[in-house]
Amino acid sequence: QLVESGGGSALAGGSVRLSCAASGYTFNTYSWFRQAPGQEREGVAAIDTNGGTTYTESVKGRFTISKDTAKNTPHLQMASQSPEDTAIYYCARAALQMPTGSPLDQSEYRCWDQGTQVTVS
């Protein structure tokens, strides 16, 4: 089970932090996806069981994904935000410790949270 927290509203250039408390088997790859109005859901950032990270091009240098292993909680720190970052953000846990394909491919994920709105204006 995944329980996401954080989100809300931010001004352009500001920062928002998302957290995802995980229960159950927690040693798999975690990722954040987002879906803007009228657009398909896209992978944003992923962190694997070894701490390796993957980012989609549009957030590189602005977003940082990390994981508090002791608390089984991944975090997504979003900085220098723009209105284009406005979306519903979803935390997800992969079916495997290390995805066989791209860590940002939705098909690698089996457990999803309810999503949280992030609005940048």
Side-chain angles (χ1 to χ4, degrees), residues 93-113:
R93 181 168 63 206
L96 302 174
Q97 288 190 8
M98 299 293 287
T100 58
S102 168
L104 299 182
D105 184 343
Q106 297 182 59
S107 67
E108 298 281 354
Y109 294 84
R110 294 293 181 266
C111 185
W112 297 78
D113 84 311

Side-chain angles (χ1 to χ4, degrees), residues 2-18:
L2 303 174
V3 179
E4 190 172 5
S5 60
S9 298
L11 296 176
S15 300
V16 173
R17 177 180 168 97
L18 303 178

Side-chain angles (χ1 to χ4, degrees), residues 10-16 78-82 120:
L11 296 176
S15 300
V16 173
M78 303 183 286
S80 301
Q81 290 195 283
S82 71
V120 184

